[in-house]
Amino acid sequence: METKRSVQLRASAENTVEYLPVESREAIAERLGVPPELIAKLDANENPYGPPPSVTTTLASLTDLHLYPDPDQRRARAALAAYTGAPVERIVLGNGSDELIDLLLLVSIEPGDEVIVPVPSFGVYLSRPPLFGARVVTVPRLSNFDLDVDAIEATVSSRTKLVFLASPNNPTGNLVTPQQLTRILRTGTLVVLDEAYYEFAGQTLQRFADEFDNLVILRTFSKWAGLAGLRIGYGIFPPRLASALWRVKQPFNVSVTAQAAVVAALEDRSWLMQRVMQIRLERGRLYRALRRYPFLTPFPSHGNFILCRIHDGRAHELHAHLLRSAIVVRRYDDEWLRDYLRITVGTPEQTDRILAALDAFR
Ligand code: PMP
């Protein structure tokens, strides 16, 4: 008689922390019973202005969609080398910077290694390492969310493989300082400095990548370039790591459309930077307005988002209240951020809608 056997999954796949994903705009619209275009989607730090016209025109005229993309990503990497000033050999693109995080873990983690994550931070840093056999060690940030460098130094041991730092940090919005970065680099561990929101901050620590061969810089086109849907991330890697990534990455990890969009977006950089400036201005207006509500405390941010502490345990209630006005912001269910909401900075009209909804919150 045939016996039914259930598939045995790897323990890491059964047990990993689930990263609370954001819902698509269509799914939210369906659930709320409103047209998708009425939703103010301010939960994923997307860019409401989208990509520049150069990208739309280029994608519409692509003729080689029947061919696989360039596995060496030559044109896109050359454009990125010009944009960043980094040597082209050190640049690798990924299917979103999310993929580069996975690839980094894939080439570096041995069973039993530890990965240090100053918390709160981007949820992917917590959820992915265990899938590769690493143990995540969290180090709480100070009360203003600055890095506790003493605690990080004390946590680095012979088992530490890498430290994830985001600057600006998602969701707290603060920057890593040159002094903090140097101290952590001097421990000798690999430091992944995720500058996903660099263009909104106007500040980068990329120069340290020339000096330290244990520093990786990660960036994305999802935020400043309005291309989250195409999935484009890139990194500036130490040469040894870059060659390892070339060996292990899927050959066609970045699509023809994504590679063409990188080149086109960088050609229309001034259009993009004008929108970035608009978002930065709007961030200031939203921050100042948020300070007027007694039931929340906003934190200053260098990203395109503002984290707010919601008093009296009302974060999820406020999230639901905003949702009734078709405004979606990010809520959390982990121990560090249960009392917080993160609001993506959108258009002036979207800010007006948030403020009107907050005015009506009792
Ligand atoms: N790093 C940080 C800090 C982020 O906030 C995000 C997006 N939420 C990412 C990386 C992922 O970006 P991508 O869309 O390129 O995968």
Side-chain angles (χ1 to χ4, degrees):
M1 208 177 84
E2 218 176 288
T3 51
K4 274 207 181 128
R5 284 205 313 145
S6 62
V7 179
Q8 278 292 313
L9 299 184
R10 283 174 61 183
S12 57
E14 291 277 24
N15 302 332
T16 188
V17 193
E18 194 177 350
Y19 168 60
L20 192 77
V22 294
E23 261 184 301
S24 75
R25 190 174 68 163
E26 281 61 36
I28 300 165
E30 217 168 282
R31 198 155 51 75
L32 297 180
V34 297
E37 56 282 5
L38 282 193
I39 307 265
K41 195 170 177 307
L42 304 173
D43 61 340
N45 300 341
E46 290 144 331
N47 183 330
Y49 300 109
S54 58
V55 171
T56 327
T57 323
T58 302
L59 296 193
S61 66
L62 286 177
T63 52
D64 44 5
L65 293 177
H66 59 298
L67 300 179
Y68 282 105
D70 176 6
D72 299 324
Q73 312 164 344
R74 270 165 300 193
R75 289 191 58 215
R77 284 167 63 222
L80 283 168
Y83 177 55
T84 59
V88 73
E89 310 75 52
R90 298 184 57 180
I91 296 174
V92 184
L93 281 90
N95 185 32
S97 46
D98 283 346
E99 189 202 17
L100 294 171
I101 291 173
D102 273 8
L103 289 174
L104 272 169
L105 294 167
L106 183 65
V107 299
S108 67
I109 297 299
E110 300 278 11
D113 280 352
E114 289 180 355
V115 167
I116 296 179
V117 183
V119 284
S121 196
F122 184 36
V124 164
Y125 307 152
L126 302 175
S127 61
R128 306 306 293 180
L131 296 173
F132 297 84
R135 197 170 81 82
V136 173
V137 183
T138 54
V139 177
R141 288 165 181 268
L142 303 174
S143 58
N144 64 353
F145 297 124
D146 265 351
L147 292 175
D148 186 344
V149 182
D150 290 339
I152 294 172
E153 281 177 340
T155 307
V156 174
S157 74
S158 55
R159 288 184 300 276
T160 308
K161 187 49 72 70
L162 61 91
V163 180
F164 279 114
L165 304 177
S167 184
N169 184 46
N170 172 13
T172 59
N174 54 318
L175 295 167
V176 174
T177 66
Q179 294 74 18
Q180 291 166 343
L181 179 65
T182 342
R183 279 180 64 189
I184 299 169
L185 283 168
R186 292 214 169 107
T187 65
T189 187
L190 181 63
V191 176
V192 180
L193 182 69
D194 186 340
E195 293 191 331
Y197 301 94
Y198 145 64
E199 284 83 356
F200 298 105
Q203 290 179 53
T204 172
L205 297 172
Q206 190 194 314
R207 63 183 181 282
F208 288 95
D210 301 333
E211 200 184 321
F212 288 89
D213 64 4
N214 55 334
L215 176 62
V216 168
I217 309 280
L218 288 185
R219 303 262 182 80
T220 178
F221 275 51
S222 297
K223 318 294 181 181
W224 77 290
L227 285 168
L230 281 188
R231 314 301 301 122
I232 305 163
Y234 69 96
I236 303 168
F237 300 93
R240 258 189 74 218
L241 254 180
S243 355
L245 295 177
W246 286 117
R247 288 195 299 273
V248 306
K249 82 168 184 67
Q250 294 273 358
F252 308 122
N253 65 328
V254 181
S255 70
V256 168
T257 40
Q259 293 194 40
V262 167
V263 178
L266 291 175
E267 275 165 9
D268 227 343
R269 206 178 314 163
S270 59
W271 187 98
L272 280 172
M273 288 315 289
Q274 268 172 26
R275 270 49 181 195
V276 167
M277 286 314 297
Q278 250 171 290
I279 291 170
R280 286 171 66 157
L281 283 176
E282 200 55 28
R283 173 178 73 198
R285 178 167 88 100
L286 178 61
Y287 177 75
R288 287 188 297 277
L290 288 172
R291 281 172 34 142
R292 295 201 297 264
Y293 297 94
F295 51 83
L296 61 80
T297 306
F299 289 81
S301 170
H302 294 270
N304 64 338
F305 52 84
I306 295 177
L307 186 71
C308 301
R309 191 158 63 80
I310 315 300
H311 307 160
D312 305 320
R314 299 183 77 192
H316 285 220
E317 190 186 329
L318 179 55
H319 178 269
H321 169 81
L322 294 173
L323 207 51
R324 283 192 287 276
S325 306
I327 299 166
V328 198
V329 300
R330 186 75 158 97
R331 70 188 160 125
Y332 301 90
D333 58 4
D334 60 71
E335 56 186 297
W336 302 287
L337 292 167
R338 200 170 293 137
D339 290 328
Y340 294 80
L341 295 177
R342 187 196 66 199
I343 307 174
T344 300
V345 180
T347 61
E349 296 69 34
Q350 288 173 329
T351 303
D352 293 343
R353 276 178 64 185
I354 298 170
L355 301 180
L358 290 175
D359 288 343
F361 186 61
R362 296 280 172 264

